[in-house]
């Protein structure tokens, strides 16, 4: 599943550039720590550039990693729903 995917209008220019960068890093490092360091740097840059669309950007980047074959299935983030958040966010593993 290492095929290059052509640039399409569905991928905005920043994600298209990220796709190109991910391909280069994957070809060089495969699924190793340097690849994931590069992935995190790309993700950080994209989320800083698109602060209002962080979840979408992260999901699209994860999908690109899946297309490369780095992961079998991308773990996508859900939108935050304030009505589902509790005041006490910890899992109960630490005392209050």
């Amino acid at each position: 599943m290492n095929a290059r995917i052509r640039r399409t209008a569905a991928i905005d220019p920043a994600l298209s550039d990220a796709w190109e960068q991910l391909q280069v890093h994957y070809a060089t490092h495969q699924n190793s720590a340097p690849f994931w360091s590069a992935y995190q740097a790309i993700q950080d840059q994209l989320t800083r550039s698109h602060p209002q669309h962080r979840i979408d950007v992260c999901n699209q980047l994860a999908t690109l990693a899946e297309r490369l074959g780095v992961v079998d299935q991308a773990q996508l983030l859900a939108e935050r729903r304030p009505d589902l958040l509790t005041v006490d966010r910890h899992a109960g593993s630490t005392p209050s």
Side-chain angles (χ1 to χ4, degrees):
M1 193 188 298
N2 240 348
R4 288 179 61 91
I5 295 176
R6 277 185 251 137
R7 291 178 185 233
T8 66
I11 300 176
D12 79 33
L15 286 170
S16 186
D17 290 343
W19 171 244
E20 296 292 330
Q21 292 173 40
L22 286 176
Q23 289 181 92
V24 169
H25 289 290
Y26 185 68
T28 305
H29 305 293
Q30 295 297 302
N31 188 2
S32 66
F35 171 81
W36 290 108
S37 292
Y39 179 96
Q40 289 175 332
I42 293 166
Q43 184 178 56
D44 184 51
Q45 188 274 325
L46 285 171
T47 57
R48 287 175 192 240
S49 298
H50 304 284
Q52 301 300 323
H53 303 285
R54 287 181 179 172
I55 291 173
D56 291 335
V57 166
C58 290
N59 285 343
Q60 290 179 21
L61 194 59
T63 301
L64 294 178
E66 180 183 282
R67 285 177 153 175
L68 276 174
V70 180
V71 294
D72 292 330
Q73 185 173 6
Q75 298 294 311
L76 303 180
L77 303 172
E79 288 291 332
R80 261 192 174 177
R81 295 192 43 202
D83 58 315
L84 296 179
L85 293 177
T86 63
V87 174
D88 182 16
R89 293 183 180 181
H90 70 81
S93 61
T94 58
S96 309

